[in-house]
Structures are given as C-alpha cells and as structure tokens.
Amino acid sequence: LKGLSAELRGQYEYGTANTRNLFNENSFEVRKSVNESTTWDPSVEPNLFIMNLPKGGILKQKRVRTDLYNVRGQLRYNRDFGPDHELDALAGMEFQSLTAESVENPPAYGYNEETMSVGTFPNGPGGPSNPILDYLGQEITFPYLNVFGYTTQRLFSAYGNAAYTYKQKYILSGSYRFDASNLITDDPKYRYAPFFSVGGMWHLYKEGFMENVDWIDRLTTRLTYGKLGNYDPSTTFRPLITPSQSPDLYINALIAGFASYGNPTLRWEQTSNWDFGIDFSFFEHKLFGKVDLYKKSGKDLLAELSIPSIHGTFIQKLNNAAMVNKGIEIDLGTSQNFGDQVQWTGNVNFAYNKNEITDLFVVNYNAFQMPLGGSAAYVKGYDANTAWRWQYSGIVDNQPTRIGPDGEPFPLSSFPEGNPLTYLRNMGTMVAPYTLGFMNSFKYKNFDFSFIFTGKFGHVFQTLGFNYPPNWVSRVLPNSKLSEVNTADPSKMVPLPLNKDDSEYYIWSYVTSSMDYLIQSASHVRLQEIYLGYHFPETLTKRIGINNVLLYAQGNNLFSIYSNKAGEDPEFPMGGMRLMPSYTFGLKFDF
C-alpha cells in the first residue's frame, strides 16, 4: 500500500475517521470492529502479523486404504433361426461394495529431507489462549491433529437386454434393469428404481426398392426411448453429523456439526430420452454423416429449496424439479482425392440445445441465492443455467442503488423483500445453446496438415469486476479494475464511495459481484489445434534400419476471437488461470 501515490491513498481512506487506512510505513492497522481500530505494537501484541512458520519445507502425508468388492454374473444367448432371424440376449446381476478409510497427517513445517527433522511453531499453533492473526487480521490456527475419513458405498443391479434382427434389415432391441443404493432411502418404494430402453433400426439401403439408387451407399434410421437414473452422493436420506477430531477446549467434550440434514423422501433422479437419428453415406462415401433429434425429460431432480429455519437450516436439497432438454445434432464429413497426390478430409458438426425448467415446487425464491447460480436459481419456464443479476439503477442521495420491488431504486446495503423475479434481471443462459466444430485434414505426398476450429454461441459469462476492498481489512489491495471504476459513469457502474464516512460500504461486495453490467456475450471461436507432419521416405529410412520416421509440429489454442467488449476469454475469465498456447515438436520412429 505504501507504494501507492498520494492521490490514490486518499481514495482509499474509506469509512469513519477511526477506520480509515493510515498508510503508516511503520505500523499496520488491525480493525476489530467498524468503529474501533488499533495500531500494532510488536512489544504489546507479539503474535500479530508475525511469521509463525519455521524455515524449511512443508511435508504433507496422507494414507488411503480402499476395499472394493465387485461380483458380477452374466448369461448370454445367441442363435440364428434360419437365414432371416437372429436373436442375441443377455442377463446378469452385479453387486458392488466400496469402503475407503483415510488418515491425513498434519503438515510438517520446517521439514528437512536430509536430516529428517521438522521445526516448531515459534508462537505455538494458535487457539483461544494464544490467538495468532494472519495478514488480514483474522485469527488462524495451524493444524496439528490427524484427519480421519471413512466412506462406504454399496450398489446392486439386475439387468437384461435382447436384440432381434430380421433379414439383416430390421432390428428391435430392448433392455431392463433395476438398481439400488445404500445412499437412497430405505423405503423400497424409492430405493429400487426400474430403468429400461427400447429401440428400433431400419437399414433402408438394403431394401429392394433402393437397389437402383446408385448414389446412396448407406441409409439407416433409428428410434430409441429409454429411462435412466442418477443419485447425488452429497445428499442423504437421514441426518448425518461430523464429530470433531478432538475435545472442545471449553467443555472438554467432542462436538459435532451437521454434514447433512437428511431428506427422508430422497429418491432417484430420473431422465427419459427420445432420440431419432439418420445415418447416411452418399456418392461412394464422399459425403457421410448423421443427424440426431432428441428430447430428454428429467423429473425428481434435486434442487435447493428455501425452507423454514425451524428445520435447522434455511435451504435443503429436495427432489422437486423437472427439466427438459431438446435439440438437434448434425455431423457431416467428406473425403476427396485431387489426383494421386492430394487427399482432403473435412468434418463439420453442429449442435443446438434448448433447456427449460418445466416443473418446480418453490415456496419462495431467495434473492440472495439466485445470483449465485446452481439449482437455487431454477425458475419454472426458464433455462436452468439462467444468469439472474441485480439491475444497477445509478446514484440516489449520494448512494449507488439497484432496482428493487415495484421498480424503485434500492440501496446496496440491504436486501429487498418480495418476489425476486420482479426485480432481478434475466441476462441469458451461461451454457452455450449453439456449438460448432470444423476440422480439415490434408495429405500431400509425405506431408500431413490439419487444423481444428471450435465455436460456442448464444450464451453469456461474467467478466471480472472491481473488488471494492473491504474497509475493515488493511491489506486487501484494489484489483486491476480500479482505473475502470475511476473513469466510468457513476450512472452505469458502481463508483468508489462518494461519502467518505459511509458506514455501510462494508456490505457492497455482496452485491457488486452480481451486477448486470458485468455480464457480456460469451460467444467465441477458437483455433483448437494445428498440425504439420512429414513422413520420411521408406527408401531412406530402411537403409539405416529405422521404420516409420515422422517429424511433426503441433500447436494448440493459438488464438481465439471473442465477441465481448472486455476482450476476456469466457471459458477462462480474468482472476483465474488463463488458457495459454502450447507448442509440441516431436520425432517418432520404429526399429
């Protein structure tokens, strides 16, 4: 902080006079409340901001023992009945039991690999009797206890499927299975879930009326319907607690917290799938591909619901949602020869998906949770990945505001009541409904050259916004968006505090990270891969006893084109690890 200019330092003297950053080069400020501050004196509070780790390495050790039993029995039957009939069937049962036990040792600080020794904490491990603060002024305790873990999972399945073929042109298939898991409720009505699928295929190109159609090499249609299931191991049907590793320092007894509040009606998530497809090849395999139309309907999907706090929690996962996905997938390819030297293979694939929540039991929506995404942002009639954001409404009475109930400006320091759908803004889906892939491969004499482009379109992402450093922590620096906030129009972006004595600034960060102006288009095109290879002539390599010598160079993620104004990669936004180009040069050969 002391490296900032005098003008910039003045901009960060937030809050009341007692809580402003003093930028004293010889002291650090530790805020203990909004209206109280103190200056660190090493002689009075020796454990504040002192490096508490011994010099040396850090050794972490963990042991995991896994016992897995998998028992499977299966019978298969296959028989031809004359020249026109064929039956292939199988049936089986499977049981799986998994038990995992783990022990994680506390980190050994000051570890010396040569002397096989460790150091000690200069100021102890911390705790109520000896508090140690980190560089943010928050109390920390260095781990000194082992961490034990135990996991068990049991699955049971019984299944069978059969396929009947008539004249090698018509195929009818079906499957049936039921599954059970110890993670699902012990009520058999919910625990055992039957799943099935049926399908048919017709090879049109083998029909007699297609014999004179010379330009069709292959033409097949197929129709399938199936029902699948899934379970979520993070949710349990009974309440689970996690006991502490050691007795509490105050009551000298083990304490525990809830790992799961339990859901006695927990059951399998179920998805029904319709798929109609066409596979084809034309003009002596010069044009080939497939087209698929599908519809996936899910019910009993787990979603987070706001529930009365009398149950011990205000939010819980319940099987209360239904969702539908429908779309089309197209895959086209071609293979062409230009003379005897040049070969070209091209492929393009396109996919479109429309997602919608079709049913949802919600007592009330949570305005705080919805901008965070996930199942708490599910709304009937909308995409499951919708970005709900606060609508910034400019400065009112020297304070930044957002749209609240009845369309009126509402301060950032409190959360409005009422139905959030009336004031939160739908910014679009955060998952691309349109995807595109384009691949080309060329071969000329001994050279190979190929490249792959990918594209995603029609969705949005959130750019990095200003972090509005909290005024109760002295060492959180402004991020790279400071200049953007300084130059922005306050009616379009939340500015720095206009009132230096603003006592409610500390809550801004809960809202500023979910503003509508941070959402931008995520559409982009990426050069995924480019490749160049050269195969040395065999007449040359065999003389030295080497076969198949290939010299090649490959580049990945060389450049991308973005549609957003921020110039950020929507799949690797600022604030995280950005996607870097990679280059590979190699030589392959066989003896």
Side-chain angles (χ1 to χ4, degrees):
L1 290 177
K2 66 182 181 180
L4 299 176
S5 65
E7 178 182 0
L8 205 57
R9 289 200 300 267
Q11 293 175 355
Y12 278 88
E13 292 184 0
Y14 301 156
T16 64
N18 291 330
T19 58
R20 295 180 185 173
N21 289 322
L22 302 180
F23 297 99
N24 190 326
E25 297 183 5
N26 299 317
S27 66
F28 294 95
E29 186 180 55
V30 182
R31 290 173 178 78
K32 295 186 176 179
S33 68
V34 174
N35 296 315
E36 179 184 0
S37 65
T38 182
T39 300
W40 173 49
D41 184 349
S43 64
V44 178
E45 296 179 291
N47 288 341
L48 296 182
F49 299 118
I50 289 182
M51 179 60 69
N52 192 50
L53 300 181
K55 294 182 179 180
I58 300 177
L59 176 64
K60 295 183 178 181
Q61 299 181 93
K62 182 177 182 179
R63 305 188 305 276
V64 179
R65 174 177 173 173
T66 301
D67 294 322
L68 174 64
Y69 301 95
N70 192 43
V71 180
R72 182 174 183 175
Q74 181 171 292
L75 296 174
R76 183 172 182 178
Y77 177 81
N78 181 275
R79 184 175 179 181
D80 295 337
F81 300 90
D84 296 335
H85 306 274
E86 181 181 350
L87 179 65
D88 192 353
L90 64 84
M93 299 179 66
E94 183 175 12
F95 174 77
Q96 184 182 101
S97 177
L98 170 66
T99 302
E101 298 180 73
S102 64
V103 179
E104 184 174 356
N105 302 119
Y109 297 98
Y111 175 69
N112 189 319
E113 187 174 7
E114 295 182 357
T115 61
M116 303 294 288
S117 61
V118 298
T120 59
F121 298 115
N123 304 285
S129 61
N130 184 37
I132 297 175
L133 305 183
D134 64 9
Y135 74 101
L136 295 177
Q138 300 175 350
E139 184 176 331
I140 60 173
T141 300
F142 292 92
Y144 60 93
L145 297 172
N146 291 320
V147 178
F148 301 93
Y150 180 86
T151 300
T152 180
Q153 176 177 297
R154 292 186 298 275
L155 298 173
F156 172 78
S157 299
Y159 57 90
N161 62 63
Y164 168 69
T165 303
Y166 177 62
K167 291 187 176 181
Q168 296 185 346
K169 293 186 293 185
Y170 315 103
I171 301 175
L172 180 65
S173 63
S175 67
Y176 183 87
R177 66 180 296 150
F178 63 88
D179 298 90
S181 168
N182 67 314
L183 302 177
I184 302 295
T185 177
D186 48 7
D187 187 343
K189 180 172 61 177
Y190 294 130
R191 168 168 283 191
Y192 294 92
F195 305 113
F196 65 91
S197 67
V198 292
M201 181 180 292
W202 180 20
H203 296 297
L204 279 81
Y205 70 102
K206 293 184 178 181
E207 295 288 354
F209 59 82
M210 298 290 290
E211 291 181 356
N212 297 324
V213 185
D214 298 333
W215 57 276
I216 296 181
D217 308 312
R218 179 172 57 89
L219 183 61
T220 299
T221 63
R222 45 190 165 76
L223 178 66
T224 59
Y225 174 75
K227 189 175 181 181
L228 306 175
N230 181 53
Y231 67 90
D232 184 354
S234 67
T235 304
T236 61
F237 64 93
R238 290 180 179 175
L240 296 180
I241 61 173
T242 300
S244 60
Q245 301 167 245
S246 62
D248 182 79
L249 295 176
Y250 296 104
I251 63 175
N252 196 30
L254 292 176
I255 61 176
F258 278 100
S260 173
Y261 290 90
N263 174 10
T265 63
L266 180 67
R267 52 192 180 273
W268 291 85
E269 296 180 305
Q270 301 183 43
T271 302
S272 300
N273 300 303
W274 282 100
D275 186 277
F276 173 73
I278 299 176
D279 303 302
F280 58 87
S281 175
F282 304 144
F283 308 111
E284 297 181 349
H285 303 287
K286 289 184 172 61
L287 177 63
F288 51 87
K290 63 179 182 177
V291 179
D292 280 276
L293 295 170
Y294 66 87
K295 181 180 180 181
K296 299 181 180 180
S297 302
K299 69 174 186 177
D300 294 335
L301 303 180
L302 286 169
E304 291 185 334
L305 273 184
S306 296
I307 61 176
S309 300
I310 193 173
H311 296 286
T313 177
F314 68 91
I315 194 167
Q316 174 70 0
K317 282 186 176 181
L318 300 172
N319 298 90
N320 72 316
M323 181 190 308
V324 63
N325 284 276
K326 51 187 176 181
I328 183 172
E329 297 179 354
I330 302 175
D331 192 348
L332 297 176
T334 184
S335 181
Q336 304 286 341
N337 293 328
F338 301 95
D340 298 331
Q341 301 294 332
V342 180
Q343 298 177 3
W344 169 50
T345 301
N347 179 271
V348 59
N349 55 76
F350 168 82
Y352 167 74
N353 176 268
K354 178 177 174 55
N355 173 280
E356 182 182 344
I357 300 294
T358 55
D359 191 19
L360 183 68
F361 175 75
V362 175
V363 178
N364 60 284
Y365 291 102
N366 189 308
F368 179 79
Q369 291 286 333
M370 288 183 66
L372 301 180
S375 61
Y378 285 0
V379 177
K380 184 178 179 179
Y382 290 85
D383 193 295
N385 304 290
T386 298
W388 299 98
R389 293 296 184 269
W390 300 103
Q391 303 182 59
Y392 182 56
S393 53
I395 305 297
V396 177
D397 296 331
N398 222 30
Q399 286 286 330
T401 61
R402 54 191 158 152
I403 295 296
D406 302 323
E408 297 296 327
F410 204 85
L412 303 187
S413 56
S414 58
F415 280 86
E417 298 180 355
N419 186 1
L421 299 181
T422 62
Y423 50 83
L424 288 179
R425 184 180 177 186
N426 175 7
M427 303 300 299
T429 178
M430 302 191 76
V431 175
Y434 303 95
T435 59
L436 181 69
F438 182 55
M439 182 192 74
N440 282 273
S441 176
F442 300 89
K443 184 176 181 60
Y444 174 70
K445 294 184 178 180
N446 292 341
F447 289 92
D448 292 330
F449 174 72
S450 64
F451 61 88
I452 301 175
F453 277 97
T454 59
K456 297 181 179 180
F457 312 95
H459 59 312
V460 298
F461 81 110
Q462 179 165 316
T463 61
L464 178 68
F466 185 55
N467 59 338
Y468 298 92
N471 60 356
W472 65 90
V473 179
S474 61
R475 283 199 167 188
V476 175
L477 299 178
N479 63 13
S480 61
K481 297 294 182 175
L482 173 61
S483 59
E484 182 180 4
V485 173
N486 278 332
T487 58
D489 184 349
S491 65
K492 298 181 179 180
M493 181 180 293
V494 177
L496 297 174
L498 302 177
N499 179 9
K500 292 186 177 181
D501 293 328
D502 191 339
S503 60
E504 297 181 338
Y505 165 72
Y506 70 96
I507 205 172
W508 283 19
S509 59
Y510 293 101
V511 182
T512 53
S513 60
S514 300
M515 282 297 183
D516 56 351
Y517 56 75
L518 295 177
I519 298 295
Q520 295 196 28
S521 170
S523 299
H524 67 278
V525 175
R526 196 187 308 279
L527 177 58
Q528 200 77 32
E529 179 182 301
I530 187 168
Y531 172 88
L532 177 63
Y534 176 73
H535 297 268
F536 285 86
E538 293 185 0
T539 55
L540 175 62
T541 58
K542 287 184 176 180
R543 293 179 181 178
I544 56 177
I546 301 178
N547 300 320
N548 303 321
V549 181
L550 171 63
L551 179 66
Y552 69 93
Q554 179 175 312
N556 294 88
N557 308 310
L558 299 185
F559 77 86
S560 302
I561 302 175
Y562 314 123
S563 64
N564 63 84
K565 298 179 181 179
E568 294 186 28
D569 191 321
E571 295 185 320
F572 300 89
M574 292 181 64
M577 183 67 72
R578 66 189 181 99
L579 186 65
M580 300 293 293
S582 63
Y583 306 91
T584 304
F585 303 93
L587 179 66
K588 292 183 178 180
F589 53 88
D590 299 327
F591 291 101

